Amino acid sequence: MLRPHVPVNPLPTGTPIPLLKPTTMADIEPIAPASIPVPVAPARTAIQLTPGSALALAAGGGAVVLVVGAVLVSMLLAVAISGVSIAVVAVVLRLLVRDMQKGR
């Protein structure tokens, strides 16, 4: 019922590529692997948090949270204001259309 059909090209296009002659194992010369020095990673030191740096880190994190919160609240407020203004325009247009249909 559902058999794949592979189209056959009766006239090949382009230049045919000649097949390469296979090489024998006698033609291949072994190559000695080069010894590559493995780089040694330097030992990592633990991060030392002093009370001052911990306080600065906490203050920086708090500032980031406040800035991101302010941006998100302002975006939400912009969407809300846009929605209210579109609703007011819709009510005004509805009243204008109703007045036009009554012939006032």
Side-chain angles (χ1 to χ4, degrees):
M1 183 174 135
L2 297 174
R3 290 189 209 139
H5 177 69
V6 179
V8 178
N9 190 1
L11 300 172
T13 58
T15 307
I17 300 171
L19 295 176
L20 297 175
K21 181 178 73 172
T23 59
T24 60
M25 291 300 289
D27 295 339
I28 300 174
E29 295 179 12
I31 300 174
S35 64
I36 300 172
V38 178
V40 178
R44 292 187 178 181
T45 59
I47 297 175
Q48 300 292 328
L49 285 179
T50 61
S53 63
L55 184 64
L57 186 63
V64 167
V65 167
L66 288 177
V67 168
V68 170
V71 168
L72 291 178
V73 167
S74 65
M75 289 172 55
L76 180 64
L77 185 62
V79 169
I81 290 173
S82 299
V84 168
S85 64
I86 289 172
V88 168
V89 168
V91 169
V92 169
L93 284 176
R94 182 177 173 195
L95 291 174
L96 287 174
V97 169
R98 187 185 303 168
D99 286 342
M100 286 175 54
Q101 287 178 349
K102 285 184 179 179
R104 292 186 184 179

